[in-house]
Amino acid sequence: MRELAEDLAGAGRYAVASVVGLRGSAPRGLGSALAVTEAGAVFGSVSGGCVEGAVYELAQRVLATGRPVRERFGYSEQDAFAVGLTCGGEVEVFVQPGSAEIEAALAEPPGRPVLLARVVGGPAALLGKGITVLGDRVVGDLLDPADLAQAPTGTLWLDGLEVFVQRWDPPARMIVFGAVDYAAALTRIGKFLGYRVTVCDARPVFATAQRFPEADEVVVDWPHRYLAATDTDERTVVCVLTHDEKFDVPVLVDALRRPLAYVGALGSRRTHERRLERLRAAGLSGAEIGRLRAPIGLDLGAATPEETAVSIAAEVVALRRGGSGAALSITQGPIHRDLVTTSG
């Protein structure tokens, strides 16, 4: 929803439709949102196009009546013309007028943690009401923030009320070591995917903001020294693009011992074999070395820095979402896995 903030600024009255329930295959995740303004403008999406027309009509009704509504859309084999998801899944959408709680969530600067909780099931007078938690500040008083502190995005029951909780965390980090042309392309696609991107290189002539304008920060330091002093978590992506042993081996020793989402290293297969020998000599276990994605990326036949960046990003997404990396045309099973929208 917070991606709608710029579009809704100064738009006047609006209604917001949010995905609050999913079953089976669905194109958009929990928390995906679509907004309709009083003037009829539409922003966002709740289904990738399958049910947008019906949701638009619901939003217009909500704008006219001021009363929230909840609707379920699924696939109907009996009625080919029924509104629903052609992918066979089921989605529940909650539509409500804009509120002080939603306004507070939209107004918070990107990158700051936000928790928005709204009643989506219960007495009609309480539907759409809730709280927004912004650090140590709370907007609204219907719910107790302590009851929501550990709640993930999704629905839960509190005192007989069905509450939809949505939290936006600060963006995950992507740390790119090596200020090379591949890094410039990877920085752009990393930002596109919503990461906070840092480029680090020990060579000041290459590690400049002018060469990497899309990066959130450009650091001149030895990679292993920078990583030792920086914070990471289980969402952090580390890409080592130096393919120079004096730079990449020390930083990989540290990275592979951390609980990171992804660790990859650029280089030929021959370079990787030498790298493995040095990592073993540095004392890394087989399990730790087994976490290394090298040569980095999926086999797309990439030839340019931009294509290589796509192959790296594809591997990062596949690992994060549990994908195989294979062509969908030769796989079976659901295309859309369980999705949660948490971008801030």
Side-chain angles (χ1 to χ4, degrees):
M1 181 189 297
R2 290 182 71 193
E3 71 276 8
L4 304 177
E6 185 174 338
D7 295 320
L8 293 178
R13 292 179 62 244
Y14 60 86
V16 175
S18 301
V19 175
V20 299
L22 292 172
R23 292 176 183 82
S25 180
R28 299 301 304 273
L30 282 175
S32 297
L34 177 148
V36 177
T37 69
E38 194 170 28
V42 182
F43 305 103
S45 174
V46 292
S47 71
C50 300
V51 301
E52 314 295 80
V55 173
Y56 178 80
E57 292 179 2
L58 287 176
Q60 288 188 313
R61 187 203 311 172
V62 168
L63 282 170
T65 65
R67 293 191 295 271
V69 296
R70 183 172 176 174
E71 191 72 48
R72 180 178 297 174
F73 300 96
Y75 178 69
S76 173
E77 293 184 348
Q78 288 74 34
D79 184 355
F81 296 98
V83 176
L85 301 183
T86 57
C87 55
E90 189 174 271
V91 60
E92 284 189 83
V93 177
F94 180 77
V95 190
Q96 70 169 102
S99 65
E101 294 82 8
I102 291 176
E103 285 289 328
L106 295 178
E108 191 72 356
R112 295 186 183 177
V114 174
L115 184 146
L116 172 64
R118 296 168 285 159
V119 175
V120 296
L126 297 181
L127 293 178
K129 300 184 183 302
I131 63 169
T132 299
V133 181
L134 310 164
D136 58 358
R137 184 167 67 92
V138 178
V139 177
D141 57 8
L142 180 65
L143 304 169
D144 186 347
D147 293 333
L148 306 166
Q150 303 302 320
T153 292
T155 54
L156 74 161
W157 289 86
L158 292 173
D159 299 326
L161 301 175
E162 187 179 7
V163 177
F164 181 70
V165 178
Q166 190 170 8
R167 57 171 68 244
W168 293 272
D169 299 316
R173 298 191 66 190
M174 174 181 283
I175 307 175
V176 181
F177 292 108
V180 296
D181 50 356
Y182 295 100
L186 184 57
T187 296
R188 290 194 292 273
I189 200 167
K191 290 298 296 179
F192 177 75
L193 291 176
Y195 287 95
R196 174 174 165 254
V197 181
T198 298
V199 176
C200 176
D201 196 298
R203 303 165 297 175
V205 68
F206 294 107
T208 66
Q210 289 73 24
R211 295 190 70 223
F212 302 96
E214 293 90 353
D216 293 285
E217 57 180 348
V218 180
V219 177
V220 178
D221 201 349
W222 280 76
H224 72 283
R225 189 165 60 190
Y226 172 76
L227 184 60
T230 197
D231 293 328
T232 59
D233 60 27
E234 67 280 356
R235 302 180 302 150
T236 301
V237 169
V238 168
C239 299
V240 180
L241 307 184
T242 54
H243 54 89
D244 184 329
E245 292 177 359
K246 69 176 179 292
F247 288 115
D248 62 13
V249 171
V251 73
L252 284 172
V253 169
D254 185 350
L256 291 169
R257 286 174 170 161
R258 296 185 179 215
L260 306 179
Y262 178 94
V263 181
L266 185 70
S268 67
R269 297 192 187 279
R270 179 177 297 178
T271 296
H272 181 53
E273 288 302 319
R274 292 198 305 268
R275 181 190 292 133
L276 289 178
E277 292 176 5
R278 289 181 173 269
L279 292 174
R280 293 188 192 101
L284 287 185
S285 68
E288 290 168 336
I289 292 175
R291 296 179 53 233
L292 176 60
R293 300 282 172 155
I296 197 170
L298 298 182
D299 181 11
L300 305 183
T304 66
E306 290 74 18
E307 290 172 349
T308 301
V310 170
S311 78
I312 296 170
E315 186 174 41
V316 169
V317 172
L319 188 61
R320 182 176 68 187
R321 298 296 189 188
S324 67
L328 290 172
S329 60
I330 62 172
T331 63
Q332 306 220 346
I335 294 174
H336 305 292
R337 291 167 170 81
D338 292 339
L339 298 176
V340 175
T341 300
T342 59
S343 59

